[in-house]
Amino acid sequence: MKFTYTVSGMMIVLTLVLSGCGAETTSNESVKVVTPNTTVATKAQPVEAVAEATRLLQKNEYTAAIAKADEILKIYPNSDEAYSIKGMAMGLNGAAQGGLEFTKKAYKINPNNVSNYYNMAMLYKLEGNLQEAKNWFEKVLAKDPRNTWSVYGIATIYADQGNDEKALEWLKQAISIDPVVKDVARTQDHFVRFHGNPTFDALVK
């Protein structure tokens, strides 16, 4: 099931994991949330509660999403999913540094979950630490070389840093993995100044 919503600012792609399944979020940054079908809740991963917190997040109800995550954590203190949701909700609500602390907790609980690498990249990106965000995107790609939104994330970082050649190189790679990137790149602030650039226009055509 896909949801989209818009947040003014940069392109964000967050991956939340619900009981071992990926939930990918992108934002303008605009945000796409892909919620997996999960039916069995376990003590470690309260699926229905996490799904509700995710719905609140995709509806831009950040305070409610944080509150729901806190409810989960009272009962399931080791839910990396709840920490991920709380961290991203805080980041999107303007508290990137505070949100990053909760994302780090999610990573500490489940360091083998590549989704937590991705979430680290997103919070560093929201915080404005582009180099650290790039480092974490690269960690994702070391595990999953065709992770579309990590490739795209690096493209946006190069664009924001003014490295046009690298930005277009990475954008081309992201589009080759998933052509839907064209639609995102056309509308994101990262690439506004590329409009009219023959190489960019050909890539997103």
Side-chain angles (χ1 to χ4, degrees):
M1 187 182 303
K2 294 186 179 180
F3 306 91
T4 62
Y5 63 99
T6 300
V7 179
S8 60
M10 59 187 156
M11 175 67 199
I12 302 166
V13 182
L14 167 69
T15 302
L16 303 173
V17 176
L18 308 185
S19 296
C21 300
E24 184 178 85
T25 311
T26 58
S27 133
N28 199 27
E29 276 187 31
S30 88
V31 182
K32 296 177 188 173
V33 181
V34 181
T35 306
N37 293 320
T38 52
T39 56
V40 181
T42 67
K43 187 173 182 179
Q45 301 294 355
V47 175
E48 290 183 7
V50 170
E52 174 60 22
T54 302
R55 284 192 290 271
L56 292 168
L57 180 63
Q58 63 88 19
K59 289 166 62 180
N60 297 359
E61 296 180 15
Y62 305 132
T63 300
I66 291 166
K68 189 66 180 180
D70 284 338
E71 287 180 16
I72 295 167
L73 290 168
K74 286 180 182 177
I75 303 171
Y76 306 93
N78 291 319
S79 173
D80 60 312
E81 299 168 352
Y83 279 120
S84 289
I85 292 168
K86 183 171 181 176
M88 180 50 64
M90 289 180 67
L92 291 172
N93 205 30
Q97 188 172 10
L100 183 59
E101 293 307 308
F102 289 101
T103 307
K104 287 178 179 178
K105 287 183 180 181
Y107 172 73
K108 185 176 181 180
I109 291 169
N110 196 350
N112 295 318
N113 185 345
V114 177
S115 296
N116 286 330
Y117 297 13
Y118 188 88
N119 295 350
M120 291 283 282
M122 289 303 99
L123 266 294
Y124 275 117
K125 201 165 187 287
L126 279 171
E127 189 184 42
N129 189 338
L130 298 185
Q131 185 55 52
E132 196 62 29
K134 181 172 173 288
N135 291 342
W136 282 94
F137 281 135
E138 289 172 345
K139 289 180 182 182
V140 175
L141 294 174
K143 299 282 188 179
D144 179 10
R146 291 181 60 81
N147 187 289
T148 305
W149 299 108
S150 291
V151 174
Y152 181 76
I154 292 176
T156 66
I157 288 172
Y158 279 126
D160 291 345
Q161 291 176 332
N163 190 332
D164 294 7
E165 182 178 354
K166 284 288 187 180
L168 292 170
E169 176 186 323
W170 282 84
L171 178 60
K172 180 179 180 180
Q173 183 180 339
I175 291 170
S176 72
I177 297 170
D178 188 346
V180 76
V181 172
K182 294 181 181 182
D183 298 327
V184 177
R186 286 191 202 102
T187 60
Q188 296 301 313
D189 294 344
H190 307 290
F191 293 104
V192 167
R193 65 183 180 80
F194 287 78
H195 294 184
N197 178 308
T199 302
F200 175 81
D201 289 346
L203 283 174
V204 300
K205 183 176 180 181

